[in-house]
Amino acid sequence: MRSGVQSFVGARLAEARQARGITSRKALADLMQRAASTVIRWEEGETAPEPAALTELASVLRLPEEFFLTPRREGSGLSFFRSFAGALRGDRLSQQVRLAWLEDVTAVAEHYAHLPEINVPDLLQGRNFRNLRDEDIEAYAQAAREHWGLGLRPILNMVELLERIGVVVASEPMETDQLDGLSRWGSDGRPYVLLASDKQSFSRRQFDAAHELAHLVLHRALTEGEFVENFKAIEDQAHRFASAFLLPASQFSVEIDTAAIWELERLKARWKVSIKAQIMRLQRLQILDKSSATRLYKIYSAKGYSRREPFDDVWPMQEPTLLADVFKALVDAGQVTKEDLREDLPLFPHDVESLTGLPSGWLRLQAARIVELKPVVTPRDNLAGARGEVIPIKRNGE
């Protein structure tokens, strides 16, 4: 039998290290002033840390000790990323763990409250993604709109739509331009999306959310090997679906009077889709040829829209609210205290607040005292002796 804390789970140590951006076991060992071989044996499950070492691990990695003693439930689906660049491997691992932690926090919310029913259709119905043509993706985007009763009208808030159909969404800084978001089906059968909060605008978030929705409805059955092997084609399918979903061909095409930048600015105000994405959509619909699109891109760049488009500094970012609303409602209703929530949640408050969108410090602040009021209160003026005598006050010079 190995020594140390017997219920210690080495895989959870690896998970915590990756979440904190500690890219190697040696780096963690250096932080703890221990031999790298010790941390390696802990992660591999060959040995377990003694109680004092477990406490030190929890402190260094800013996690409860119980985190390392609970095995992770298996069965989560494939995580979809925008890039497989080797330089981003650490970032991908970190965000995958954050997505898993979002699932853990959701399990606590679902223990206390009914979350929206999962309403994400299997559009492919067993069809192989490799056989999808452009017209198929257009049809699937339209079928999704019909399934959710969206008609041909603009989608004003993609994040709100995702939460309404049962997707749990979180938004956190990813500190890289090459990771705009990721998504996967959780081991609980619920879809999850994590969106980057840094270097974002309203319209960019609209497209990122629609892109992740595309993966959820088109690529649920993929294996990791298929994703890696067909990465570019799969990402292109997600882009095409997002474009068709946000700008349905039959409606968007008839609203184009002239392919001019000012016209696209007007349409951005209506459709909540970036000017750049509109140009790409017009090309795919063959409303613009390559030379016309190139001319628009040059005007786009000359106007400085590559840095910031119109409305980007006016429209507030659409943020997920589902989990924050659940936890606030639980506390406000007196069903659970913040102290109880902290005990139930598998992470420290700062991680929970970040993943759920709760205000920083909310879980640590004392909840307002619940005061039970009397059903009928007699006005004070009607109480015997309640009205006092008014005594005039003399001021100097009076």
Side-chain angles (χ1 to χ4, degrees), residues 108-114 326-338 340-341 344 370:
V108 177
E110 200 154 24
H111 173 76
Y112 288 105
H114 293 290
V326 167
F327 290 135
K328 288 178 181 178
L330 287 170
V331 171
D332 290 346
Q335 186 172 340
V336 64
T337 67
K338 291 184 180 182
D340 291 335
L341 272 181
D344 285 346
I370 298 175

Side-chain angles (χ1 to χ4, degrees), residues 171-199:
S171 171
E172 290 192 314
M174 295 187 182
E175 300 178 356
T176 173
D177 290 334
Q178 298 186 61
L179 290 178
D180 296 317
L182 63 153
S183 56
R184 78 175 187 186
W185 286 85
S187 59
D188 57 355
R190 184 176 288 277
Y192 291 84
V193 168
L194 180 58
L195 298 172
S197 62
D198 35 9
K199 300 180 180 178

Side-chain angles (χ1 to χ4, degrees), residues 6-79:
Q6 294 301 305
S7 55
F8 182 81
V9 181
R12 294 288 262 173
L13 172 56
E15 179 182 306
R17 176 176 58 77
Q18 292 160 359
R20 298 309 185 207
I22 303 174
T23 57
S24 71
R25 292 180 282 197
K26 182 181 183 305
L28 177 58
D30 290 344
L31 285 174
M32 300 181 67
Q33 297 184 336
R34 292 177 181 269
S37 58
T38 299
V39 174
I40 291 172
R41 287 197 296 271
W42 288 345
E43 282 199 9
E44 297 294 335
E46 296 174 6
T47 62
E50 298 295 332
L54 175 59
T55 300
E56 185 182 358
L57 270 177
S59 175
V60 168
L61 295 170
R62 306 189 307 282
L63 288 163
E65 291 185 23
E66 294 77 11
F67 173 91
F68 301 94
L69 310 180
T70 308
R72 173 160 298 290
R73 182 170 58 180
E74 301 296 329
S76 295
L78 175 67
S79 295

Side-chain angles (χ1 to χ4, degrees), residues 373-386:
L373 301 178
K374 294 179 179 180
V376 178
V377 178
T378 304
R380 287 181 57 84
D381 284 353
N382 294 339
L383 294 177

Side-chain angles (χ1 to χ4, degrees), residues 167-396:
V167 181
V168 175
V169 186
S171 171
E172 290 192 314
M174 295 187 182
E175 300 178 356
T176 173
D177 290 334
Q178 298 186 61
L179 290 178
D180 296 317
L182 63 153
S183 56
R184 78 175 187 186
W185 286 85
S187 59
D188 57 355
R190 184 176 288 277
Y192 291 84
V193 168
L194 180 58
L195 298 172
S197 62
D198 35 9
K199 300 180 180 178
Q200 280 282 320
S201 66
F202 184 100
S203 56
R204 182 172 175 176
R205 171 155 289 187
Q206 286 281 92
F207 199 91
D208 288 346
H211 179 102
E212 299 308 329
L213 175 63
H215 285 312
L216 295 173
V217 299
L218 296 179
H219 303 134
R220 183 175 183 177
L222 262 67
T223 65
E224 185 173 358
E226 288 174 328
F227 185 39
V228 174
E229 182 181 348
N230 302 276
F231 175 72
K232 289 185 178 180
I234 290 166
E235 281 296 289
D236 184 63
Q237 288 179 0
H239 268 72
R240 288 178 179 270
F241 179 95
S243 181
F245 186 72
L246 291 171
L247 299 170
S250 60
Q251 183 64 35
F252 179 64
S253 60
V254 301
E255 295 189 16
I256 295 290
D257 293 327
T258 177
I261 283 290
W262 65 265
E263 176 81 340
L264 301 184
E265 292 172 358
R266 178 184 69 82
L267 290 171
K268 178 178 179 178
R270 168 167 160 75
W271 287 94
K272 304 297 185 288
V273 176
S274 72
I275 295 171
K276 187 174 183 179
Q278 289 183 65
I279 298 173
M280 294 175 64
R281 180 64 170 151
L282 292 172
Q283 272 191 280
R284 286 174 175 167
L285 293 174
Q286 298 182 343
I287 296 173
L288 285 179
D289 58 24
K290 185 175 180 179
S291 61
S292 299
T294 300
R295 178 178 58 82
L296 280 176
Y297 282 130
K298 288 181 179 179
I299 298 172
Y300 179 91
S301 179
K303 283 181 168 285
Y305 289 171
S306 299
R307 295 185 299 276
R308 184 172 292 276
E309 290 190 7
F311 309 113
D312 284 352
D313 56 352
V314 176
W315 293 341
M317 187 77 71
Q318 55 281 62
E319 298 289 354
T321 61
L322 174 62
L323 294 180
D325 288 346
V326 167
F327 290 135
K328 288 178 181 178
L330 287 170
V331 171
D332 290 346
Q335 186 172 340
V336 64
T337 67
K338 291 184 180 182
E339 183 179 4
D340 291 335
L341 272 181
R342 291 195 298 270
E343 290 295 321
D344 285 346
L345 289 162
L347 306 168
F348 280 151
H350 66 275
D351 283 311
V352 175
E353 290 160 355
S354 178
L355 286 165
T356 61
L358 284 166
S360 178
W362 184 86
L363 272 169
R364 285 157 287 188
L365 291 174
Q366 182 65 37
R369 184 187 300 275
I370 298 175
V371 179
E372 184 179 357
L373 301 178
K374 294 179 179 180
V376 178
V377 178
T378 304
R380 287 181 57 84
D381 284 353
N382 294 339
L383 294 177
R387 187 185 299 275
E389 182 181 356
V390 178
I391 302 175
I393 300 176
K394 280 193 174 184
R395 294 180 174 84
N396 290 338

